[in-house]
Every structure is written in C-alpha cells, then in structure tokens.
Amino acid sequence: VGKSVHSVGAAIAADKEGADYLLAGTIFKTSPKPDTKPQGPALIRSIVAVTNKPVIGIGGITRKNAASVLDAGAIGIAAMSGILAAANPSKAAESLIDSMAKLPLLARQPR
C-alpha cells in the first residue's frame, strides 16, 4: 500500500500507519499543480533520512531531471503530465525509460 506524502512529517506518519512505500512530491514544477511550490530533490533526501520505506519521486520529473531524483535516494520516479501532454505519449515514455536506462548503475540502486 502506497501513501502520497509532501513533507517529512507526513512521511513519518505514513510509515507509522504501515505504508509499504511512499510517493513523495511535488519535486519540480508541474502544470497539473501550478500553485504547489516544488521542493526539489531535497524532499527526497529528507524523507529517505527518516524512513526505510521505498520512496518514489513525483511531480515535474522529466528525462532531464530524473537522475537528480534517483541520486537523492528515490528508488524510482512517477511521470504523468510530461508523458500524457506530449504530442506522442508513447515516444515520450520511451524517451524517459531510455534516459533512465543510461544512468550509472549507482543512481538506480536503492539506498
């Protein structure tokens, strides 16, 4: 069971409630949530420091910034608007997957 969290406090609470993994965001600016202040990869680092649950980053993640989310300690990323809003969603998804596959192995390992 996953839990969406937006702060360290929420991550601690979700951990205590028995969440199996945490979906943490908003990491970068994203059009579906224009009034939400992005917290950057620092949010991932802060949450990873207080839980041993797997953390997945979400919010404005693209092929250009995905590595920074993984480097911060996320085990993966969730991407929606960048794919769904693309002229060719299939190609956008493939491009993101390809860029992540090219990351150094260390960036793809759970911390």
Side-chain angles (χ1 to χ4, degrees):
V1 174
K3 177 81 176 186
S4 180
V5 297
H6 307 285
S7 69
V8 170
I12 292 169
D15 198 347
K16 288 180 182 177
E17 292 168 1
D20 296 310
Y21 69 93
L22 305 175
L23 189 64
T26 299
I27 307 302
F28 302 106
K29 185 176 180 177
T30 182
S31 57
K33 295 188 177 185
D35 298 329
T36 302
K37 181 181 178 196
Q39 299 183 61
L43 177 64
I44 299 293
R45 281 190 290 279
S46 298
I47 290 174
V48 168
V50 300
T51 184
N52 63 355
K53 303 294 180 175
V55 179
I56 298 169
I58 190 169
I61 298 174
T62 66
R63 62 187 302 272
K64 293 180 182 178
N65 61 26
S68 67
V69 179
L70 298 175
D71 287 341
I75 65 153
I77 58 112
M80 292 183 288
S81 61
I83 293 171
L84 298 176
N88 185 334
S90 179
K91 186 172 180 172
E94 287 175 15
S95 176
L96 179 57
I97 291 167
D98 287 347
S99 69
M100 290 184 65
K102 294 175 186 172
L103 293 174
L105 187 57
L106 181 60
R108 295 185 280 139
Q109 294 298 312
R111 308 291 190 264

